[in-house]
Amino acid sequence: KSAEKRLRQNAKRRLRNMAVKSAMKTAIKKALSAKGADAALRAALSAIDRAAAKGVIHKNAAARKKSRLVKKFAKG
């Protein structure tokens, strides 16, 4: 019985994780394609923070993604 419940929980969490991760990746791609767009960068950083807060990605992974994204923006 508990195994069945676990399967239901995992399926629900997997869908949520995929949605959050997909939204994060989309925001990052938009930020990279819109060179010099400050709003797009802020939206991407926010999406990364949200994913980390929900436990979809590790906080260090979030920090790394944010660092690399900001570095790319600073360069060009």
Side-chain angles (χ1 to χ4, degrees):
K1 208 161 197 162
S2 64
E4 290 169 1
K5 182 177 180 180
R6 270 287 178 208
L7 286 171
R8 287 196 309 271
Q9 288 175 331
N10 289 340
K12 210 181 284 186
R13 286 180 186 147
R14 182 172 166 272
L15 286 174
R16 187 200 70 175
N17 290 346
M18 283 177 10
V20 171
K21 200 175 277 194
S22 175
M24 178 188 72
K25 287 179 182 178
T26 304
I28 291 170
K29 283 177 190 165
K30 278 184 183 172
L32 289 173
S33 68
K35 289 285 178 193
D38 215 30
L41 175 63
R42 273 200 306 276
L45 295 178
S46 175
I48 294 169
D49 281 334
R50 265 198 307 277
K54 290 181 177 181
V56 176
I57 60 171
H58 193 274
K59 68 182 182 85
N60 289 354
R64 185 176 63 243
K65 284 179 187 293
K66 285 166 62 174
S67 172
R68 288 177 182 172
L69 191 59
V70 170
K71 204 190 300 184
K72 280 181 186 171
F73 257 77
K75 191 185 286 183

